[in-house]
């Protein structure tokens, strides 16, 4: 919670975002007035018959039923990690485990947010921790500001390129790139 | 900082008492829970049909999605939602004027109208306790 998921979807979407915000009763955990309790939905239109549909889902484990619904249908995922959280690397690793199948088909990019407030751990430390647990996994890791359309587009484009290379060349193609 | 309902012993106790009374009024009531807007259990009837905290999270997602649909269709705020199934139905509505929700599962022996009326009554009584 607090990584900027709703903000990121709003930055990227070309339609009015469908939001499911509720009053946040965990202000002691993350001090923000509302939190997403189902999903945020936005779209980017690519052509008359192609669009990217973006679903932002809450990170709190109590909403893991939403993860189960979306992870079977999603092509890829931008995993936003709040660097100001108590243990952001552990959080990333837990999500990689929960979305293992998506990660192993090259469908994940990690975006580390709030690094201007909490510069540690660095993206290098995230990458090393990931490589220790999943040495065979290639996951791009960025610091980013979810409010920045440019930075979010960069993360999304990286994800799309990764997925397309997998589709075209298989796993080896991605690792050579 | 105000105490959230799930952490307020007076609210939890009052909500539990209301649910127990509600169960006494309707034999068709299988399960019911008061929950916060963001999916925390405030009080619930004992049940073997569901894990309470998990149901509270799902119920809050349903509430938010129904609000989003009502907003999208420009039909005003959603008043209640009903899930009708082969072996029963869920009726869910906000506690008027508060950030809490009452969700109740009934078996098929009750009519939807009677179940909705009962759920509304107890949601309104909760308003009397938490204010609104």
């Amino acid at each position: 919670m607090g990584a900027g998921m709703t903000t990121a979807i709003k930055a990227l979407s070309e339609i009015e975002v469908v939001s499911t915000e509720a009053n946040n009763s965990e202000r002691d955990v993350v001090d923000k007035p509302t939190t997403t309790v189902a999903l945020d939905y936005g779209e980017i239109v690519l052509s008359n018959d192609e669009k990217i549909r973006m679903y932002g889902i809450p990170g709190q484990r109590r909403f893991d039923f939403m993860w189960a619904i979306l992870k079977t249908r999603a092509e890829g995922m931008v995993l936003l990690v709040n660097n100001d959280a108590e243990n952001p690397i552990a959080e990333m690793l837990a999500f990689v485990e929960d979305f293992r199948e998506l990660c192993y088909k090259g469908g994940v990019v990690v975006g580390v947010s709030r690094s201007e407030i909490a510069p540690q751990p660095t993206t290098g430390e995230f990458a090393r921790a990931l490589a220790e647990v999943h040495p065979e996994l290639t996951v791009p890791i960025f610091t980013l500001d979810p409010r920045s359309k440019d930075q979010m587009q960069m993360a999304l484009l990286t994800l799309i390129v990764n997925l397309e290379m997998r589709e075209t060349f298989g796993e080896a193609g991605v690792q050579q790139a | 900082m105000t105490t959230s309902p799930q952490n307020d012993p007076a609210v939890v106790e009052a909500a539990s008492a209301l649910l127990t009374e509600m169960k006494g009024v309707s034999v068709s009531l299988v399960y019911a829970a008061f929950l916060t807007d963001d999916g925390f259990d405030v009080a619930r009837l004992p049940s073997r049909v569901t894990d309470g905290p998990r149901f509270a999270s799902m119920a809050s997602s349903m509430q938010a999605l129904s609000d989003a649909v009502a907003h999208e269709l420009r039909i005003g705020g959603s008043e209640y939602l009903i899930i009708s199934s082969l072996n029963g139905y869920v009726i869910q509505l906000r506690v008027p004027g508060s950030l809490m929700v009452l969700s109740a599962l009934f078996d098929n022996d009750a009519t939807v109208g009677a179940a909705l009326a009962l759920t509304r009554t107890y949601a309104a009584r909760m308003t009397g306790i938490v204010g609104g």
Side-chain angles (χ1 to χ4, degrees):
Chain A
M1 183 160 65
M5 178 266 295
T6 300
T7 306
I9 299 271
K10 283 181 177 166
L12 283 169
S13 180
E14 292 172 355
I15 63 162
E16 187 188 347
V17 171
V18 176
S19 284
T20 56
E21 294 282 300
N23 180 62
N24 174 26
S25 65
E26 285 185 298
R27 296 292 286 264
D28 53 325
V29 179
V30 174
D31 191 17
K32 61 175 190 167
T34 61
T35 187
T36 301
V37 292
L39 52 83
D40 295 313
Y41 177 74
E43 286 180 1
I44 298 173
V45 178
L46 301 176
S47 65
N48 281 344
D49 53 2
E50 269 189 319
K51 62 185 174 186
I52 297 171
R53 296 185 293 166
M54 298 172 293
Y55 295 86
I57 50 175
Q60 298 99 309
R61 190 157 288 278
R62 69 180 190 277
F63 292 110
D64 63 359
F65 57 90
M66 291 300 302
W67 309 354
I69 292 168
L70 282 185
K71 73 178 163 189
T72 56
R73 303 174 189 198
E75 291 292 328
M77 170 174 82
V78 177
L79 173 60
L80 288 178
V81 181
N82 176 1
N83 220 27
D84 196 24
E86 199 175 317
N87 192 342
I89 287 180
E91 285 197 1
M92 175 195 67
L93 291 173
F95 279 108
V96 167
E97 202 53 50
D98 277 303
F99 290 83
R100 192 182 179 89
E101 202 175 319
L102 208 50
C103 293
Y104 274 84
K105 73 170 193 178
V108 174
V109 167
V110 174
V112 180
S113 68
R114 296 176 71 85
S115 57
E116 73 281 8
I117 293 164
Q120 305 292 332
T122 63
T123 51
E125 289 169 301
F126 275 94
R128 280 191 289 280
L130 189 61
E132 256 178 47
V133 185
H134 300 278
E136 66 283 28
L137 209 53
T138 310
V139 175
I141 301 174
F142 302 93
T143 56
L144 53 73
D145 181 344
R147 294 167 297 187
S148 163
K149 186 174 183 174
D150 288 346
Q151 292 182 29
M152 286 309 305
Q153 277 179 336
M154 176 61 75
L156 194 59
L157 278 172
T158 305
L159 178 62
I160 291 166
V161 168
N162 232 11
L163 284 165
E164 286 185 345
M165 284 182 71
R166 284 267 165 163
E167 207 175 298
T168 310
F169 303 112
E171 193 173 322
V174 176
Q175 289 183 348
Q176 281 164 18
Chain B
M1 194 176 286
T2 55
T3 308
S4 45
Q6 72 271 28
N7 296 325
D8 185 333
V11 172
V12 172
E13 191 181 334
S16 298
L18 277 182
L19 292 177
T20 304
E21 188 185 320
M22 192 177 170
K23 175 66 182 166
V25 171
S26 172
V27 290
S28 291
L29 182 65
V30 177
Y31 180 73
F34 282 104
L35 51 118
T36 64
D37 220 22
D38 61 343
F40 287 101
D41 233 3
V42 176
R44 62 179 183 268
L45 286 174
S47 170
R48 280 174 295 177
V49 298
T50 184
D51 171 277
R54 183 172 171 81
F55 177 77
S57 298
M58 295 186 93
S60 93
S61 297
M62 288 193 298
Q63 188 68 42
L65 281 170
S66 69
D67 289 346
V69 169
H71 174 77
E72 181 69 21
L73 298 176
R74 297 182 174 85
I75 54 173
S78 69
E79 290 188 2
Y80 55 84
L81 65 96
I82 297 175
I83 299 171
S84 180
S85 301
L86 190 61
N87 296 317
Y89 41 92
V90 175
I91 293 184
Q92 181 170 307
L93 45 83
R94 283 189 187 282
V95 173
S98 89
L99 294 168
M100 284 171 60
V101 169
L102 172 57
S103 191
L105 167 65
F106 293 86
D107 64 27
N108 278 333
D109 291 338
T111 65
V112 173
L116 178 58
L118 183 72
T119 311
R120 271 187 164 148
T121 298
Y122 279 85
R125 286 187 56 188
M126 194 66 205
T127 300
I129 293 163
V130 294

